[in-house]
Amino acid sequence: MLDQPIPGTSPRRRIAVVMLVDEAKRLLLQHRDAQAPTSPGKWGLPGGGIEAGETPEEAAHRELLEETGLRVEGALTLRWHGTLPGSQPGFYNEYYVFAASTTARQEDVILGEGDAMVFTPLHEAMKLDLSASAHYMLSLDEQ
């Protein structure tokens, strides 16, 4: 995995995701539906593409609200920024991984995208069929 862009190339997509942890120290994960353009049927973090004129943090807030109905008040903590290979050979995605905590409960989550959005204990999350990017991001604590 790459931490810096490949010289002479530009990212295929710029993506902001959120590692949202509840009071029970469970991580919110999204199960991507079969129609997802990337990693269908796999588990990942809520988030998505950064729109023109939007900062990565603004995108993270927007995507979290769109996909879960949840708002995080205040600033998010940038956990990791770097690049990972994209789904097509020769392309990569630039990721901004933010961390935040919430008092929200499972019943507060409104599924806005995917098959499911579930707060999951981290040790259980690592046993799921994770997207490659989610697996890398969740493994950052082990490095």
Side-chain angles (χ1 to χ4, degrees):
M1 302 298 170
L2 306 170
D3 287 330
Q4 296 299 320
I6 300 165
T9 64
S10 60
R12 178 166 174 77
R13 288 186 71 202
R14 295 176 66 228
I15 300 169
V17 299
V18 181
M19 298 178 80
L20 187 66
V21 177
D22 70 3
E23 291 179 321
K25 304 297 182 213
R26 298 175 304 173
L27 179 67
L28 187 63
L29 292 175
Q30 175 196 52
H31 189 247
R32 299 178 59 80
D33 61 35
Q35 291 73 41
T38 305
S39 303
K42 300 213 181 259
W43 290 88
L45 297 168
I50 300 170
E51 296 178 358
E54 196 173 43
T55 68
E57 186 172 355
E58 289 168 342
H61 278 286
R62 176 185 51 75
E63 287 285 346
L64 186 65
L65 181 61
E66 289 175 2
E67 295 182 4
T68 70
L70 300 177
R71 291 182 191 273
V72 173
E73 299 302 323
L76 300 173
T77 302
L78 182 61
R79 173 87 174 77
W80 182 77
H81 171 232
T83 57
L84 296 173
S87 57
Q88 297 177 1
F91 290 102
Y92 69 93
N93 295 318
E94 181 179 12
Y95 281 92
Y96 294 83
V97 181
F98 292 94
S101 59
T102 183
T103 58
R105 302 172 317 248
Q106 184 63 53
E107 53 268 25
D108 298 324
V109 177
I110 300 168
L111 181 61
E113 187 176 298
D115 282 336
M117 195 74 69
V118 182
F119 281 108
T120 308
L122 188 56
H123 69 278
E124 293 297 322
M126 294 304 288
K127 297 175 187 175
L128 296 173
D129 187 13
L130 297 169
S131 68
S133 59
H135 187 272
Y136 179 79
M137 292 168 199
L138 296 184
S139 299
L140 290 172
D141 284 333
E142 298 172 5
Q143 296 180 8

